[in-house]
Amino acid sequence: MLPWKRVLRPLAALLLTAAVATLPAATAQAASAPSSGWNDFSCKPSAAHPRPVVLVHGTLGNSIDNWLSLAPYLKDRGYCVYSLDYGQLPGVLLFHGLGPIDKSAEQLSAYVDKVLAATGAAEADLVGHSQGGLMPRYYLKFLGGADKVNALVGIAPDNHGATLSGLTNLLPYFPGAADLIKATTPGLGDQIPGSAFLTKLNADGDTVPGVHYTVLATKYDEVATPWRSQYLTGPDVRNVLLQDLCPLDLSEHVAIGLFDRIAFHEVANALDPAHATATTCASAFS
């Protein structure tokens, strides 16, 4: 078995490197970067926007880098906006979302309680990118989150696993590789299609009653693949392919969450459907 051990560690490193390559590089100053007015716990929701918005970063992201564009976009439209760090591993700075996803959901639960207590709101809305759109579903389904959340908007969420354009399909050819990934970076292991986590999460349906779900996908996604696997099935779900709204939108997995204003327009529509306006290519300039 010794030769296999020599192969497994490079494969695990390859998977991690591939994931890192699809996400923005965090700088050493990211943790102290200005938040442009979000994470203001003195903010009180308005009558027009009565629910605070909690932003949930993706794998290898953090509460600042993932939201440098979307957080100010929502703040400028009158929302109280918050973001958290979750899934930290000991000794790993800036790159979060690597811990067990069920434990990350517990962190989200505590953070939502903090936001609701500070704002006085009865419910929050959640917007998540990649794992940030997947992980809250555990909170909603198993940790009582459905009573505290009005809507979940997933931006390129890997709701049924992330194959990294088929890279994870190689794992069966390397016995023990999946176990190694799970042991060293549990958050990555939980997102491998067919994992115990995903099997539990998606058993008995994708959604829970009382929550409005929106999924925003791009056909150019290279992480949460195939992109149709991002879609949810349920009675209160809106699945959206950005290219159906704007064929010129070339955003892939990273761009859709970081700076795609067409996607941002759809986020705003999902947060305030009573005042939604048509999303087109022109939304990139709105």
Side-chain angles (χ1 to χ4, degrees), residues 133-220:
L134 162 71
M135 178 269 280
R137 292 179 49 224
Y138 190 95
Y139 163 56
L140 298 176
K141 193 170 188 178
F142 299 110
L143 302 179
D147 293 332
K148 302 174 183 179
V149 172
N150 168 71
L152 169 62
V153 184
I155 304 173
D158 54 335
N159 282 315
H160 299 95
T163 69
L164 295 174
S165 297
L167 185 60
T168 59
N169 295 333
L170 299 176
L171 290 173
Y173 296 99
F174 300 91
D179 292 336
L180 178 61
I181 294 169
K182 177 66 174 176
T184 55
T185 51
L188 293 181
D190 285 343
Q191 293 174 80
I192 296 174
S195 70
F197 172 82
L198 288 172
T199 299
K200 176 181 178 180
L201 177 64
N202 292 318
D204 303 318
D206 291 343
T207 64
V208 295
V211 179
H212 308 293
Y213 294 84
T214 300
V215 173
L216 306 179
T218 170
K219 67 180 182 181
Y220 300 112

Side-chain angles (χ1 to χ4, degrees), residues 214-238:
T214 300
V215 173
L216 306 179
T218 170
K219 67 180 182 181
Y220 300 112
D221 202 304
E222 74 281 31
V223 176
T225 51
W227 61 263
R228 288 183 180 83
S229 68
Q230 300 172 26
Y231 284 179
L232 296 173
T233 300
D236 196 352
V237 173
R238 183 167 182 260

Side-chain angles (χ1 to χ4, degrees), residues 30-230:
S32 60
S35 61
S36 299
W38 84 88
N39 284 334
D40 176 5
F41 280 86
S42 67
C43 184
K44 297 301 179 184
S46 65
H49 300 303
R51 293 177 300 275
V53 178
V54 176
L55 304 178
V56 190
H57 65 74
T59 305
L60 297 168
N62 61 60
S63 62
I64 301 297
D65 283 358
N66 214 141
W67 307 120
L68 289 173
S69 294
L70 181 57
Y73 180 95
L74 295 175
K75 186 75 172 58
D76 290 346
R77 283 156 179 76
Y79 289 92
C80 293
V81 182
Y82 304 88
S83 60
L84 77 156
D85 288 306
Y86 71 86
Q88 301 92 330
L89 290 182
V92 179
L93 303 178
L94 302 178
F95 299 103
H96 303 317
L98 295 172
I101 297 182
D102 57 347
K103 299 302 180 184
S104 294
E106 293 176 4
Q107 292 178 274
L108 174 62
S109 177
Y111 192 80
V112 170
D113 286 348
K114 179 182 177 181
V115 168
L116 294 181
T119 59
E123 292 182 314
D125 289 325
L126 307 180
V127 179
H129 181 207
S130 193
Q131 184 191 158
L134 162 71
M135 178 269 280
R137 292 179 49 224
Y138 190 95
Y139 163 56
L140 298 176
K141 193 170 188 178
F142 299 110
L143 302 179
D147 293 332
K148 302 174 183 179
V149 172
N150 168 71
L152 169 62
V153 184
I155 304 173
D158 54 335
N159 282 315
H160 299 95
T163 69
L164 295 174
S165 297
L167 185 60
T168 59
N169 295 333
L170 299 176
L171 290 173
Y173 296 99
F174 300 91
D179 292 336
L180 178 61
I181 294 169
K182 177 66 174 176
T184 55
T185 51
L188 293 181
D190 285 343
Q191 293 174 80
I192 296 174
S195 70
F197 172 82
L198 288 172
T199 299
K200 176 181 178 180
L201 177 64
N202 292 318
D204 303 318
D206 291 343
T207 64
V208 295
V211 179
H212 308 293
Y213 294 84
T214 300
V215 173
L216 306 179
T218 170
K219 67 180 182 181
Y220 300 112
D221 202 304
E222 74 281 31
V223 176
T225 51
W227 61 263
R228 288 183 180 83
S229 68
Q230 300 172 26

Side-chain angles (χ1 to χ4, degrees), residues 70 73 77 216 260-270 276-280 283-284 286:
L70 181 57
Y73 180 95
R77 283 156 179 76
L216 306 179
D260 188 333
R261 292 177 72 92
I262 295 171
F264 294 177
H265 190 270
E266 275 298 288
V267 169
N269 282 346
T277 58
T279 300
T280 67
S283 300
S286 63

